[in-house]
């Protein structure tokens, strides 16, 4: 039978829980299949609640006993939990339940990962641990006692500060226990427990007030050498948060644990952050520069949640962007400060356009703060995270840096220890700035990507920019009101000199005009500098103007954008009517790459072409039916054209950006390696892989080795390297994820389904491990030409695996379904095949609620 039909939950129906929790005591008696959880929870009636029903969430729990004030009681089983008759005065609830961590393959609640006990409670995993009001607005202090087998679980960790430890050698097997006290009230989704055979990489951090905080990264034995970078990233994050936001850490210790089986990247549990191993473990031999930067950013993100998510949390899951959007914005600021601000901004916009824009423009579109959901796990989306961060950035742009800092201080002072809403967040800014933000708040309630159209007039000495905004209909929202859109603009003269520094124009109406007087010659506008708002820009300018901006724009983002648009238009022209690739683009690119005053990482980004999926979206928007084979051919042709146009420059760039001396993951050497590897990718198209083969043999770090491996695969010369790479790294699970991914990434489109099928038959393909599954299936879905090959074979393989995974891990399955959201872009034959596969998934008996919701939304759009 199918799971019960998903129930729609609405923001408008929110009511506070009927009881306040004054304290939680938990005891865990760990056993792989029969863990006992004893809870003792003090409740009192909530005078602000209208619903006085005592309901506790609970799933997959075996109730042993239940008591109220020491007297046994028999709860009533209802959908999603239990109900009990309780006193109208304060009382103590006690329960003992049994759970089976070993059988918990969904990786929610308490589960096992290669012998390690681990929890994941966001969003609704705590209800799989014990009966509790599992909702974010119920906050309480926790005292946790963990009892285990001293041989298999020598380390016993939970939230807060360690208070008591002990062992009992008189029993068989010998047992140990630990007691943890978290003095700060938290919702259940921030609860964490880890127990296992772990080794700690330790350090300390002295806070701004002089308190010494013990820092530990816990890993499996053998991974100790991969912790040093993560520890330094943590200390940088703690220092940065003190200096930039005035936030000091509030416990005596801070622990991170690396876990192999984890659905997410990491989780910000108070004082005990649990990380996917791929997001914390790194050494020069096994991690690329991209891995190092991602680890630094994720560690910062989870640490910053200590205040923006933990000390101040969200009232309900509709407010998820309150903590995630703000914390993503904060981690972006951190990375910009640690590395390159222009490169970080470009990277963020690439991610936004690659993930969030398609979401905004398709069947899964929803506001930053949705009005309803069925499964909250399906709303951990690019819209909530990345667009949510863009909304914070716009707010900071509109009020200014000083006013933003003042508002954040008020936010922390006013709402510390509370579960808040977007209204609370907006009011802080209104109160601190005196500004009415009613219209700005539409960014939280309206879905879709606005389009800003730009027209220009020049008469006498007056230059005028005419701006208009429009938003296409999205599911449930056919009409949209004008939003507040900050449009950062600068003006250049025809020599490339800046005659008007960046100025922020506030577009608040459907159409507005902005005049600039005193210009003896017609200026050249640079519009939407720094990508000041998450919009698309419609601006009727020719390629000579773009080439000018590529050469002269003083805004790094818009200079990159000019080159990107030249490449995009060149590709679109080649796809639609066979137009030769743009000579201005190739010439401008050559000039820019010669400019050694520019950051190597920035120059490397200039060589990155628009993705095939992005091109398909543009073609669809222009009224064309995207042909994945034609898109693939055009992108390959442009790469060849770039290689030939830069032939005399590539060897010098490659040589000049080799990094001597010991490996460092810092920004400067990483940028040089990035540019050298970008040059190598093009050089391989000219030398048949000679330079790549030499780099593969001589590489002393994973950044160089993996880039050379990829170049050889791209050139069709990777057979020997594939075997050698596996033989060298078969003992390292994270590196073997890379080995799987690259073979999928560089498969010929016609061979993708066969390549994936072969890899899934490999002994190391552990499909129950989320990292390994994503390494193959996630990369398969991103291989545009292969995934959408006319045979439909990839659609079949992908659907087969989603159907297989869903009973085991619904959360990962549902998130992978988003790869199918663009199915209506394509021709009738592809649509027919895709629709049949979607219906096949939807028709499975026992399909999870998570996947049911995703597939239904995609089909019904």
């Amino acid at each position: 039978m199918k799971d019960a039909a998903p129930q729609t939950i609405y923001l408008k129906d929110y009511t506070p829980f009927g009881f306040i929790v004054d304290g939680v005591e938990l005891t865990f008696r760990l056993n792989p299949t029969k863990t006992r959880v004893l809870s003792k929870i003090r409740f009192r009636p909530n005078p602000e609640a209208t619903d006085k029903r005592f309901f506790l969430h609970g799933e997959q729990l075996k109730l042993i006993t239940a008591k109220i004030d020491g007297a046994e009681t028999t709860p009533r089983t209802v959908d999603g939990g239990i109900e009990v008759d309780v006193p109208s005065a304060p009382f103590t609830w006690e329960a003992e339940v049994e759970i089976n961590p070993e059988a918990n393959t969904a990786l929610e609640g308490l589960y096992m990962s290669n012998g390690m006990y681990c929890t994941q409670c966001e969003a609704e995993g705590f209800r799989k641990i014990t009966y509790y009001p599992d909702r974010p607005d119920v906050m309480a202090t926790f005292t946790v006692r963990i009892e285990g087998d001293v041989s298999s679980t020598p380390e016993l960790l939970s939230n807060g500060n360690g208070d008591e430890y002990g062992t009992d050698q008189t029993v068989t097997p010998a047992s140990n226990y630990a007691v943890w006290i978290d003095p700060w009230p938290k919702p259940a989704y921030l609860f964490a427990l880890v127990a296992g055979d772990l080794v700690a990489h330790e350090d300390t951090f002295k806070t701004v007030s002089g308190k010494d905080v013990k820092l530990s990264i816990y890993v499996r034995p053998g991974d100790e050498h991969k912790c040093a970078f993560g520890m330094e990233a943590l200390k940088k994050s703690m220092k940065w948060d003190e200096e930039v936001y005035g936030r000091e850490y509030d416990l005596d210790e801070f622990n991170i644990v690396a876990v192999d089986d984890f659905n997410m990247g990491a989780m910000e549990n108070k004082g005990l952050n649990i990380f996917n191993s791929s997001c914390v473990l790194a050494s020069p031999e096994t991690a690329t520069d991209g891995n190092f930067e991602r680890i630094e950013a994720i560690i910062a993100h989870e640490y910053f949640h200590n205040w923006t998510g933990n000390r101040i949390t969200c009232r309900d899951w509709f407010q998820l962007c309150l903590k995630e959007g703000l914390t993503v914005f904060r981690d972006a600021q951190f990375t910009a400060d640690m590395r390159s601000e222009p490169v970080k901004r470009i990277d963020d916009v690439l991610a936004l356009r690659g993930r969030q824009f398609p979401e905004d423009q398709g069947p899964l579109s929803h506001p930053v703060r949705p009005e309803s959901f069925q499964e909250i796990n399906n709303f951990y989306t690019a819209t909530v995270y990345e667009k949510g961060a863009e909304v914070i950035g716009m707010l900071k742009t509109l009020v200014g840096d000083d006013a933003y800092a003042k508002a954040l201080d008020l936010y922390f002072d006013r709402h510390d220890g509370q579960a808040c809403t977007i209204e609370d967040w907006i009011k802080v800014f209104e109160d601190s700035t005196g500004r009415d933000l009613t219209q700005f708040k539409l960014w939280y309630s309206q879905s879709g990507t606005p389009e800003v159209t730009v027209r220009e007039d020049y008469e006498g000495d007056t230059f005028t920019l005419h701006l208009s905004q429009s938003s296409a209909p999205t599911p449930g929202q056919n009409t949209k009101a004008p939003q507040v859109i900050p449009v950062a603009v600068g003006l250049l003269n025809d020599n490339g000199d800046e005659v008007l520094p960046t100025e922020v124009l506030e577009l608040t109406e459907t159409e507005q005009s902005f005049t600039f007087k005193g210009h003896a010659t017609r200026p050249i506008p640079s519009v939407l500098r720094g990508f000041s708002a998450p919009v698309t820009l419609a601006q009727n300018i020719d390629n000579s103007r773009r080439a000018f901006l590529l050469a002269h724009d003083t805004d790094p983002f818009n200079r990159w954008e000019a080159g990107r648009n030249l490449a995009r238009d060149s590709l679109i022209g080649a796809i639609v009517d066979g137009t030769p690739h743009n000579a201005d683009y190739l010439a401008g690119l050559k000039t820019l790459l010669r400019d050694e005053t520019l950051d190597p990482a920035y120059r490397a980004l200039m060589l990155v072409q628009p993705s095939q999926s992005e091109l398909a979206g543009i073609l669809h928007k222009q009224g064309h039916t995207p042909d994945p084979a034609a898109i693939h051919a055009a992108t390959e042709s442009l790469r060849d054209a770039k290689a030939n146009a830069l032939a005399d420059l590539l060897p010098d760039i490659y040589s000049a950006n080799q990094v001597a001396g010991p490996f460092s993951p810092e920004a400067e050497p990483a940028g040089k390696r990035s540019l050298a590897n970008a040059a190598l990718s093009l050089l391989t198209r000219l030398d048949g892989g000679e330079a790549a083969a030499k780099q593969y043999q001589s590489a002393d770090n994973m950044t160089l080795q993996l880039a050379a491996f990829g170049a050889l695969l791209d050139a069709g010369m990777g057979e020997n390297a594939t075997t050698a790479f596996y033989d060298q790294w078969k003992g390292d699970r994270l590196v073997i994820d890379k080995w799987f991914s690259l073979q999928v990434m560089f498969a010929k489109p016609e061979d993708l389904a066969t390549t994936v099928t072969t890899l899934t038959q490999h002994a190391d393909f552990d499909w129950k491990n989320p990292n390994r599954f994503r390494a193959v299936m996630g990369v398969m879905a991103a291989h545009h030409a292969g995934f959408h090959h006319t045979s439909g074979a990839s659609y079949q393989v992908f659907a087969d695996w989603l159907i297989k995974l869903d009973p085991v891990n619904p959360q990962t399955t549902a998130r992978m379904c988003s790869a199918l959201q663009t199915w209506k872009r394509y021709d009738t034959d592809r649509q027919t095949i895709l629709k049949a596969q979607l219906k096949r998934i939807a028709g499975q008996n026992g399909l999870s609620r998570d996947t049911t919701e995703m597939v239904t939304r995609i089909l019904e759009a």
Side-chain angles (χ1 to χ4, degrees), residues 66-146:
K67 297 179 182 179
I68 293 177
D69 290 335
E72 289 196 11
T73 185
T74 303
R76 298 181 295 276
T77 301
V78 295
D79 185 32
I82 56 174
E83 286 184 355
V84 190
D85 295 327
V86 297
S88 57
F91 64 93
T92 299
W93 160 266
E94 294 177 82
E96 181 174 357
V97 302
E98 184 177 283
I99 56 177
N100 185 348
E102 199 169 77
N104 184 2
T105 60
L107 312 184
E108 295 177 284
L110 179 65
Y111 64 92
M112 304 291 290
S113 173
N114 295 331
M116 181 196 305
Y117 293 88
C118 179
T119 57
Q120 172 54 33
C121 293
E122 188 177 359
E124 297 177 339
F126 192 78
R127 62 192 62 186
K128 295 183 178 181
I129 292 175
T130 193
Y131 289 105
Y132 193 77
D134 188 7
R135 41 189 289 169
D137 60 342
V138 175
M139 303 176 70
T141 58
F142 279 65
T143 299
V144 178
R145 178 185 172 97
I146 313 168

Side-chain angles (χ1 to χ4, degrees), residues 731-742:
D732 190 301
R733 56 201 178 277
L734 296 179
V735 178
I736 292 301
D737 285 339
K738 297 175 172 62
W739 180 80
F740 275 99
S741 289
L742 254 67

Side-chain angles (χ1 to χ4, degrees), residues 338-376:
M338 295 300 108
R339 294 178 179 268
S340 162
E341 185 175 1
V343 169
K344 174 58 178 170
R345 188 62 186 136
I346 293 167
D347 281 340
D348 286 348
V349 173
L350 284 171
L352 190 79
R353 289 174 174 168
R355 295 179 57 232
Q356 198 279 320
F357 277 20
E359 191 169 272
D360 243 354
Q361 296 156 9
L364 301 180
S365 179
H366 62 88
V368 172
R369 180 174 69 176
E371 296 292 324
S372 66
F373 63 76
Q374 293 176 348
E375 288 296 330
I376 184 56

Side-chain angles (χ1 to χ4, degrees), residues 14-288:
Y14 169 83
T15 57
F17 183 55
F19 299 84
I20 294 169
V21 180
D22 287 323
V24 179
E25 297 176 30
L26 299 174
T27 298
F28 288 80
R29 294 172 181 161
L30 298 176
N31 181 284
T33 59
K34 295 182 178 182
T35 288
R36 290 290 177 99
V37 183
L38 288 72
S39 60
K40 186 175 183 180
I41 307 168
R42 290 178 287 117
F43 289 98
R44 59 186 164 91
N46 182 355
E48 297 183 4
T50 55
D51 183 357
K52 302 299 184 180
R53 183 176 57 118
F54 186 68
F55 168 80
L56 302 179
H57 294 99
E59 294 180 11
Q60 301 170 25
L61 306 175
K62 179 181 178 182
L63 180 62
I64 307 300
T65 59
K67 297 179 182 179
I68 293 177
D69 290 335
E72 289 196 11
T73 185
T74 303
R76 298 181 295 276
T77 301
V78 295
D79 185 32
I82 56 174
E83 286 184 355
V84 190
D85 295 327
V86 297
S88 57
F91 64 93
T92 299
W93 160 266
E94 294 177 82
E96 181 174 357
V97 302
E98 184 177 283
I99 56 177
N100 185 348
E102 199 169 77
N104 184 2
T105 60
L107 312 184
E108 295 177 284
L110 179 65
Y111 64 92
M112 304 291 290
S113 173
N114 295 331
M116 181 196 305
Y117 293 88
C118 179
T119 57
Q120 172 54 33
C121 293
E122 188 177 359
E124 297 177 339
F126 192 78
R127 62 192 62 186
K128 295 183 178 181
I129 292 175
T130 193
Y131 289 105
Y132 193 77
D134 188 7
R135 41 189 289 169
D137 60 342
V138 175
M139 303 176 70
T141 58
F142 279 65
T143 299
V144 178
R145 178 185 172 97
I146 313 168
E147 302 171 1
D149 179 341
V150 73
S151 62
S152 62
T153 57
E155 292 291 347
L156 304 169
L157 307 171
S158 192
N159 308 89
N161 297 316
D163 182 65
E164 184 181 350
Y165 306 90
T167 59
D168 186 350
Q169 301 290 344
T170 65
V171 298
T172 303
S175 67
N176 61 336
Y177 75 91
V179 176
W180 291 81
I181 298 176
D182 187 354
W184 300 102
K186 66 173 180 284
Y189 83 84
L190 290 171
F191 172 79
L193 180 153
V194 175
D197 183 9
L198 299 166
V199 180
H201 178 93
E202 297 181 342
D203 207 332
T204 58
F205 178 82
K206 187 177 289 292
T207 70
V208 67
S209 67
K211 181 176 71 174
D212 288 322
V213 179
K214 179 185 174 184
L215 309 178
S216 300
I217 298 179
Y218 285 90
V219 297
R220 297 184 185 281
D223 284 336
E224 301 94 319
H225 66 293
K226 297 182 180 181
C227 298
F229 180 80
M231 183 61 76
E232 289 306 308
L234 174 59
K235 291 160 67 177
K236 286 180 181 179
S237 304
M238 298 176 80
K239 186 172 188 292
W240 185 90
D241 211 19
E242 288 181 344
E243 293 176 346
V244 178
Y245 278 85
R247 298 299 100 197
E248 183 178 358
Y249 187 60
D250 53 5
L251 291 169
D252 299 330
E253 51 189 295
F254 186 90
N255 298 313
I256 289 174
V257 183
V259 178
D260 292 342
D261 300 285
F262 204 69
N263 283 333
M264 301 184 187
M267 179 60 208
E268 71 265 19
N269 317 295
K270 184 73 178 181
L272 179 57
N273 285 190
I274 298 178
F275 272 65
N276 187 312
S277 298
S278 67
C279 298
V280 68
L281 300 180
S283 67
E285 300 79 20
T286 61
T288 65

Side-chain angles (χ1 to χ4, degrees), residues 204-453:
T204 58
F205 178 82
K206 187 177 289 292
T207 70
V208 67
S209 67
K211 181 176 71 174
D212 288 322
V213 179
K214 179 185 174 184
L215 309 178
S216 300
I217 298 179
Y218 285 90
V219 297
R220 297 184 185 281
D223 284 336
E224 301 94 319
H225 66 293
K226 297 182 180 181
C227 298
F229 180 80
M231 183 61 76
E232 289 306 308
L234 174 59
K235 291 160 67 177
K236 286 180 181 179
S237 304
M238 298 176 80
K239 186 172 188 292
W240 185 90
D241 211 19
E242 288 181 344
E243 293 176 346
V244 178
Y245 278 85
R247 298 299 100 197
E248 183 178 358
Y249 187 60
D250 53 5
L251 291 169
D252 299 330
E253 51 189 295
F254 186 90
N255 298 313
I256 289 174
V257 183
V259 178
D260 292 342
D261 300 285
F262 204 69
N263 283 333
M264 301 184 187
M267 179 60 208
E268 71 265 19
N269 317 295
K270 184 73 178 181
L272 179 57
N273 285 190
I274 298 178
F275 272 65
N276 187 312
S277 298
S278 67
C279 298
V280 68
L281 300 180
S283 67
E285 300 79 20
T286 61
T288 65
D289 286 323
N291 296 143
F292 279 107
E293 182 174 343
R294 182 169 180 259
I295 287 167
E296 183 178 70
I298 292 176
I299 284 176
H301 178 95
E302 305 307 336
Y303 175 75
F304 297 156
H305 264 311
N306 188 62
W307 278 91
T308 52
N310 295 3
R311 287 283 289 260
I312 304 176
T313 193
C314 46
R315 185 196 71 178
D316 52 71
W317 290 120
F318 296 100
Q319 321 294 332
L320 181 59
C321 61
L322 179 67
K323 74 183 185 78
E324 293 301 347
L326 178 55
T327 306
V328 169
F329 179 72
R330 277 162 34 83
D331 81 53
Q333 288 181 290
F334 170 78
T335 298
D337 286 349
M338 295 300 108
R339 294 178 179 268
S340 162
E341 185 175 1
V343 169
K344 174 58 178 170
R345 188 62 186 136
I346 293 167
D347 281 340
D348 286 348
V349 173
L350 284 171
L352 190 79
R353 289 174 174 168
R355 295 179 57 232
Q356 198 279 320
F357 277 20
E359 191 169 272
D360 243 354
Q361 296 156 9
L364 301 180
S365 179
H366 62 88
V368 172
R369 180 174 69 176
E371 296 292 324
S372 66
F373 63 76
Q374 293 176 348
E375 288 296 330
I376 184 56
N377 287 332
N378 290 339
F379 280 85
Y380 283 75
T381 63
T383 298
V384 167
Y385 280 69
E386 278 73 35
K387 189 174 180 179
E390 293 294 321
V391 173
I392 304 295
M394 285 190 292
L395 186 54
K396 183 173 184 286
T397 296
L398 290 167
V399 304
D401 293 351
D402 292 343
Y404 173 81
K406 181 182 176 183
L408 264 292
D409 286 342
L410 178 60
Y411 178 64
F412 294 127
D413 290 344
R414 179 181 289 179
H415 294 298
D416 186 14
Q418 296 180 12
C420 296
T421 65
I422 294 302
E423 284 72 21
D424 297 322
W425 166 254
I426 292 293
K427 193 170 191 310
V428 160
F429 278 82
E430 291 183 326
D431 290 351
S432 64
T433 66
R435 178 170 179 147
D436 184 350
L437 294 171
T438 302
Q439 187 184 14
F440 180 82
K441 191 181 162 191
L442 291 172
W443 279 103
Y444 286 103
S445 59
Q446 289 190 171
S447 56
T449 304
E451 180 173 86
V452 174
T453 301

